[in-house]
Amino acid sequence: MAEPLLELRNLTTVFPMRRGAVNAVSGVNLRVQPGEILGIVGESGCGKSSVLLSILRLIRQPGHIAAGNIFFKGRDLRRLPQKKMRAIRGNEISMIFQDPLSTLNPVFPVGEQIREAMRLHGIANASPLPWPLAGRRSHEKQRVLDVMAEVGIPAPEARYRAYPHEFSGGMQQRALIAIALVCEPTLLLADEPTTALDVTIQAQIMEVMRRVNREHGAGIILVTHNLGLAAEFCDNIAVMYAGRIVERGPAQQVVDNPQHPYTRGLLACLPQISRQRSRIDPIPGEVPDLAGLPPGCAFIPRCSLARDACNSVDLRLRSLQANQYARCILYEDGVRYTVEEFS
Amino acid sequence: MRAIKILERILYAIPIILGVAVVVFVFVRLTPGDPVDIMMGQGGAISSGEIEQLRAEFHLDEPITNQLWYFLRDAARGDLGYSYILKQPVTVIIADRLPATIELAAGALFLALLIAFPIGIISAVRQNSILDRLSMSFAFLGISMPGFWLGIVLILIFAVALRWLPVQGRLDPQITLQQITGFYVVDSIITANGPALWSSIRHLLLPSITLGAAVAAIVARVLRSSMLEVLRSDYVQLARAKGASESLVVVKHALRNALIPTVTVVGLQVGVLLGGNMIIETVFGWPGLGRLVVDAIFNRDFPLIQGAVMVYALTYILANLVVDVLYTYLNPRIAL
Ligand SMILES: Nc1ncnc2c1ncn2[C@@H]1O[C@H](COP(=O)(O)OP(=O)(O)OP(=O)(O)O)[C@@H](O)[C@H]1O
Ligand code: SF4
Ligand SMILES: [Mg+2]
C-alpha cells in the first residue's frame, strides 16, 4: 500500500482540568490515504474536534498531546519545530472550523482574510510573470476571487470587501472553505462544515468539498455527528465514543452492517425516511464525563448488552470482516479475530 | 455619509449642552453664600448703595428666571459674561487657561497609553506569569492611590531629593516663549525654540505621570481582559490554523478586536483627565482650568463657574464624539 497521507498512532490528548484530567482523545489510531475521505462520527463531546486540532497542534493550553505520533507524509508533526509547523498549517493541511460566524474575524473584510492565508505562505509569488509585469497584488487578488467563485460565493468582486456580519451563514461557511482551499492543501480537516446550515445549502457545500477531493486530490477528514451524511460522502468511517474509536471500516459496510452497539445506536437515531413523521430516537443516557473515566468500556451505562466483563477488560479494536474493526467485549473471544495493528 | 452622521451627532449634542447649562445655573445659585458679600469682603468698606449698584450690574436683583434667560441668550452668542472677581470676560479667562489643562491631559493620556498598552498586551499573552501578577498589582495600586498623594511623593523624590525635574509651573521663568496656541510644547516646536521645548516637557512630566497613573492602570486592566477574551476566540484559532505566527496573531488579529472595548474606556477617561485634575493642578502649580474653577467656587463667581462647567461639558461631549467616530472605524458591525 502507498504511504498514507496521514497516520495517527496512539494519539492521546489531555486537558488537565480542576475536576481531573479530561482525556479528549485516548489512543486513537487512524490512517488517511491520499485522496481518501475519512469520516469521524460521534456525539457531541466525544473528542472529534480535539483529534483535528491535535493534528494541527492547535490544542489550547493547558491541553496538550500527551502521547502518540502524527505522521504526515512520513514526518512526525509532533516533533516538528514551530516554524515548520506554521509552514504546514493552512498550506498543506488546512481546517474548516465548526462555527463559521465566530471563526471569521469580525473586523477584517472577508476577501482580505482569504488573501491572508495565501500571503502567509508566499503563494502570491506563483505568478507566471515577474512582479513588475504581472502586478503581484492583482494576481493575488485574482486568485482570491477565483477561489470565492469556486466555493460558490456569487459576485465575489462585490463581496471581497464585505465584512463577515454582512454574509449569511451559508456564505460565511463558504468563506471559511475558501480560506481553507486557497493554498490547495493536500489534507483538509472539515469540522462539521454543514451543521449550522439548512439542507439545500448543506448539499451545495458538500458538493464543493467533493469537487475539491476529485479535482485537487485532497484527502479529507470529515467530522460530523450525522452518520447518514458520513455514509453518503466518505470512503471510510471511524466512530468515536468518549475519546476512543469504537468502530472503523469502509463507510457502506459500517452503515449496512454495524458491529458496535454504539454504532447501532447511532444508526437507530437516523430519521427513518419511510415513516411519515420521522422521530429521532436518541441513545438513552448521556455522554460520560471524560474526566476520570473508569477502565473498561465507556459505553456501559448506555449499552443494553453490557455485562460484568465489560468493566474489566482492556478492550482493543478487533478486526472483524474486510477492514472492519470494533472495540467491544462481543468481539473479544480472540479466536476469529486478530488484534488490529498498523503496518 | 459619515460627515452627515457626524453633523447629526453634533446637532444632538445641543439639547444636552442646553440641559447642562440650566442645571449648572440652578445648582450654582442653590449653594449658600452671596457673591456680593464675598466681593465686599475683599473690597473693604463699601456702602450699601454700592452693593445695590453691584447687584444691579450683575442682574442679581432680578428674578432667577430672568437671570437664566440673560445667561442663555448671551451664551448663545458666545458671551459667557464677566467674572465677578477677575473683572474680565469669562471666555477670555477660559481661553487663557484651557490650553494648559488640555496639554496636561494630553501628556497624561500619552504616557498612560504608552505604559498601558505593552503591559495590557503582555499580561494577557503571558497570563498568570510573574510579569502579569506584578503589573496587575501595580495597576491595582494605580487605581486606589489618591492622585495628590502620588504627586507629592513624586515631587519629593524627583524634584526635591534628586533635583531631576522642576517642582512647579509650565516653564522655567528665565526662558521666554512666544505664545501662539497656548500649548507650550506645540509653540516651542512652531517657533523652533529648543530650550523651551525641553523645559516644557520636563515640567509636564511629573504632573502627567500623576494624572495618568490611574488611567494607565484602568486601561491596562481593560486591555488585558479584552485581550484574554479575544485570545480565546475562534478567529484567533483560525489565524493560527492559517499559519500565522504568534506575534501576528496577537498584534493583528487579537489586538485589533481588543481595541474596541478599550477605546470606549479610554474615551471615558478623557473626561476624567480633563475634569478631574483640580487637585493635581494645585499640587503642581499648574495654571489650568481646574485651579481656576476651585477658586471660582470659593468666591461664588457664578459666571466663571458656569462658563468652566460648560467648557467641561463641551470637551466631554467632543471626546465622546471622537470615540464614537473612532469606534465605527474599529468595529465594522457598528454604524455611527
Ligand atoms: N479547550 C478545552 N478545554 C477544556 N476541555 C476541552 C477543551 N476542548 C475540548 N475539551 C473537552 O474535550 C472533550 C472533547 O471535546 P471536543 O470538542 O473534541 O468534542 P467534539 O466531538 O468535537 O464535540 P462537538 O460535537 O460538541 O463539537 C470534551 O469533553 C470537552 O469538554
Ligand atoms: S463492551 Fe460491553 S458495554 Fe461496551 S459496547 Fe460492548 S457490550 Fe456494550
Ligand atoms: Mg467539535
Side-chain angles (χ1 to χ4, degrees):
Chain A
M1 206 185 275
E3 183 186 57
L5 179 63
L6 179 82
E7 182 172 339
L8 306 181
R9 278 196 208 152
N10 188 34
L11 180 68
T12 302
T13 300
V14 182
F15 292 96
M17 294 279 120
R18 227 170 270 139
R19 60 181 208 276
V22 171
N23 290 293
V25 182
S26 18
V28 162
N29 293 305
L30 274 180
R31 227 183 245 170
V32 182
Q33 300 296 337
E36 177 187 335
I37 304 181
L38 170 72
I40 299 183
V41 184
E43 288 168 290
S44 185
C46 69
K48 306 180 298 293
S49 300
S50 300
V51 169
L52 300 189
L53 290 170
S54 299
I55 295 170
L56 284 174
R57 281 179 42 199
L58 285 178
I59 290 289
R60 279 180 208 283
Q61 297 279 353
H64 60 276
I65 302 171
N69 308 91
I70 305 159
F71 290 105
F72 175 69
K73 295 181 179 168
R75 284 186 294 179
D76 187 356
L77 297 186
R78 246 192 108 191
R79 308 205 187 297
L80 231 48
Q82 268 301 335
K83 200 169 170 208
K84 292 221 168 115
M85 195 62 223
R86 283 207 300 272
I88 288 179
R89 287 186 195 129
N91 189 15
E92 288 183 82
I93 307 178
S94 54
M95 177 151 169
I96 301 167
F97 284 84
Q98 207 164 349
D99 177 4
L101 179 58
S102 68
T103 307
L104 288 165
N105 195 323
V107 301
F108 297 116
V110 171
E112 292 297 332
Q113 296 191 50
I114 302 171
R115 190 169 178 163
E116 188 190 27
M118 218 159 94
R119 245 182 220 169
L120 286 167
H121 298 290
I123 306 293
N125 299 332
S127 161
L129 295 169
W131 165 70
L133 296 177
R136 173 165 174 256
R137 300 197 146 260
S138 66
H139 181 79
E140 217 173 60
K141 186 169 177 184
Q142 193 50 52
R143 167 78 185 134
V144 173
L145 295 177
D146 290 347
V147 175
M148 288 171 82
E150 190 186 336
V151 298
I153 297 176
E157 187 79 53
R159 285 199 163 84
Y160 184 91
R161 291 224 58 83
Y163 288 93
H165 72 274
E166 296 166 319
F167 273 42
S168 67
M171 284 302 141
Q172 288 167 355
Q173 188 60 272
R174 283 164 208 257
L176 274 186
I177 297 177
I179 290 174
L181 293 186
V182 73
C183 295
E184 304 198 342
T186 43
L187 178 62
L188 184 62
L189 311 176
D191 196 352
E192 314 243 10
T194 59
T195 307
L197 308 175
D198 63 52
V199 184
T200 45
I201 297 171
Q202 191 170 334
Q204 290 168 7
I205 299 272
M206 293 317 289
E207 198 39 52
V208 169
M209 305 247 301
R210 204 191 292 277
R211 210 168 55 230
V212 169
N213 172 252
R214 293 224 182 96
E215 290 172 13
H216 306 294
I220 298 178
I221 299 183
L222 174 72
V223 160
T224 173
H225 57 246
N226 183 342
L227 195 51
L229 181 77
E232 183 193 329
F233 188 74
C234 302
D235 303 313
N236 293 295
I237 289 179
V239 179
M240 268 187 96
Y241 188 74
R244 288 208 160 81
I245 292 182
V246 293
E247 178 158 5
R248 199 179 69 212
Q252 213 51 54
Q253 212 170 303
V254 169
V255 175
D256 291 345
N257 194 10
Q259 297 298 316
H260 195 281
Y262 179 61
T263 315
R264 291 186 196 144
L266 280 182
L267 276 164
C269 294
L270 287 182
Q272 236 97 25
I273 299 151
S274 54
R275 258 185 259 162
Q276 197 57 38
R277 278 185 146 262
S278 59
R279 196 172 62 87
I280 297 175
D281 298 309
I283 308 175
E286 279 172 26
V287 185
D289 185 358
L290 298 189
L293 273 182
C297 179
F299 194 51
I300 296 173
R302 305 170 72 185
C303 183
S304 55
L305 300 173
R307 58 202 68 184
D308 282 350
C310 305
N311 273 307
S312 50
V313 186
D314 178 22
L315 293 168
R316 306 250 186 127
L317 272 180
R318 303 284 174 181
S319 161
L320 309 169
Q321 64 249 18
N323 291 323
Q324 196 170 353
Y325 302 82
R327 183 196 300 274
C328 172
I329 193 77
L330 301 175
Y331 311 107
E332 281 283 334
D333 53 28
V335 182
R336 285 184 298 144
Y337 314 115
T338 52
V339 174
E340 176 261 342
E341 272 173 339
F342 276 132
S343 48
Chain B
M1 215 25 229
R2 193 167 246 134
I4 294 173
K5 294 267 173 139
I6 293 172
L7 205 72
E8 223 168 75
R9 291 289 304 265
I10 293 174
L11 291 179
Y12 281 142
I14 291 177
I16 299 175
I17 295 169
L18 201 69
V20 169
V22 173
V23 169
V24 170
F25 184 89
V26 172
F27 269 87
V28 162
R29 276 155 187 76
L30 283 179
T31 53
D34 184 339
V36 176
D37 286 347
I38 291 166
M39 282 184 254
M40 217 173 56
Q42 290 176 339
I46 293 174
S47 69
S48 62
E50 279 173 310
I51 290 176
E52 287 316 308
Q53 201 188 326
L54 268 176
R55 284 196 187 282
E57 186 185 332
F58 295 119
H59 303 295
L60 289 171
D61 52 348
E62 292 184 40
I64 191 163
T65 44
N66 284 15
Q67 294 183 37
L68 177 61
W69 163 244
Y70 295 136
F71 169 62
L72 292 179
R73 185 194 60 194
D74 293 345
R77 298 193 198 117
D79 173 8
L80 292 174
Y82 263 68
S83 160
Y84 297 160
I85 307 290
L86 301 172
K87 309 279 191 269
Q88 263 184 314
V90 168
T91 45
V92 171
I93 301 171
I94 289 175
D96 183 45
R97 296 292 199 109
L98 190 60
T101 289
I102 292 179
E103 187 165 49
L104 178 56
L109 185 65
F110 177 77
L111 283 183
L113 297 184
L114 199 70
I115 294 164
F117 265 74
I119 286 183
I121 293 168
I122 295 170
S123 299
V125 172
R126 303 242 172 282
Q127 191 193 1
N128 295 331
S129 66
I130 297 189
L131 191 111
D132 178 29
R133 281 156 205 254
L134 213 69
S135 43
M136 284 309 115
S137 311
F138 269 111
F140 182 74
L141 242 128
I143 290 171
S144 40
M145 214 165 22
F148 71 91
W149 184 80
L150 176 63
I152 291 169
V153 169
L154 288 177
I155 288 177
L156 286 178
I157 297 174
F158 293 101
V160 177
L162 296 171
R163 297 186 167 277
W164 288 352
L165 292 167
V167 183
Q168 291 244 312
R170 297 179 75 188
L171 202 64
D172 283 341
Q174 61 267 40
I175 290 177
T176 51
L177 173 64
Q178 186 197 346
Q179 291 203 28
I180 299 164
T181 60
F183 303 104
Y184 284 7
V185 172
V186 176
D187 290 345
S188 334
I189 292 172
I190 293 175
T191 57
N193 188 341
L197 181 63
W198 178 235
S199 173
S200 53
I201 288 176
R202 277 163 47 88
H203 279 81
L204 254 174
L205 221 46
L206 287 186
S208 296
I209 292 172
T210 310
L211 185 60
V215 176
I218 290 166
V219 173
R221 292 222 299 203
V222 169
L223 186 60
R224 174 181 178 270
S225 65
S226 26
M227 279 296 282
L228 279 177
E229 193 184 323
V230 168
L231 282 171
R232 275 194 291 267
S233 70
D234 289 340
Y235 51 80
V236 159
Q237 195 74 329
L238 174 68
R240 293 194 182 106
K242 287 202 272 190
S245 65
E246 205 50 33
S247 51
L248 188 74
V249 166
V250 169
V251 173
K252 184 177 171 189
H253 291 267
L255 182 59
R256 187 58 180 63
N257 280 281
L259 276 182
I260 294 171
T262 310
V263 159
T264 309
V265 171
V266 171
L268 290 173
Q269 292 306 310
V270 169
V272 175
L273 286 175
L274 285 169
N277 53 11
M278 295 168 188
I279 295 168
I280 289 167
E281 286 190 357
T282 310
V283 170
F284 286 95
W286 193 265
L289 208 53
R291 260 171 79 198
L292 190 73
V293 172
V294 174
D295 292 344
I297 290 172
F298 280 121
N299 291 327
R300 300 290 175 280
D301 195 343
F302 292 165
L304 193 50
I305 301 171
Q306 283 157 193
V309 173
M310 295 284 290
V311 169
Y312 281 137
L314 265 176
T315 44
Y316 196 76
I317 288 167
L318 201 70
N320 272 299
L321 184 64
V322 170
V323 166
D324 286 349
V325 173
L326 208 60
Y327 206 83
T328 62
Y329 281 102
L330 287 174
N331 189 350
R333 285 162 295 188
I334 304 283
L336 201 65

